[in-house]
Amino acid sequence: MKSTIIIEKKVADAIIYHSELNPQLECGGFLYGIVKLINDTYHFYITDYYYEPNIIGTENNFVFEP
């Protein structure tokens, strides 16, 4: 089945910013949005995000604190 992902610019900018804070270390976050099934195609609309800019992982690990 086909899928389309649409990411709002503010979310794309945040992903790029967060991933470039320290490119040598893992980072993580959450993406928020909705999914619609239209004509046998899933459309993912990513409208918001969450990440902790002060929490950095290792070269191969990232853990979300409670």
Side-chain angles (χ1 to χ4, degrees):
M1 185 170 290
K2 296 179 185 176
S3 297
T4 300
I5 301 171
I6 300 167
I7 302 176
E8 288 190 4
K9 184 174 181 340
K10 71 173 185 175
V11 176
D13 290 344
I15 292 169
I16 293 166
Y17 170 78
H18 187 56
S19 66
E20 291 179 346
L21 285 174
N22 190 330
Q24 304 303 317
L25 300 178
E26 291 288 327
C27 61
F30 296 98
L31 300 176
Y32 298 98
I34 61 171
V35 179
K36 294 182 181 179
L37 180 59
I38 304 171
N39 298 328
D40 294 327
T41 300
Y42 283 104
H43 295 264
F44 296 85
Y45 298 93
I46 309 301
T47 58
D48 214 345
Y49 60 91
Y50 171 82
Y51 67 89
E52 293 281 348
N54 298 322
I55 299 176
I56 299 172
T58 67
E59 291 88 4
N60 62 0
N61 189 13
F62 181 84
V63 177
F64 286 101
E65 297 297 328

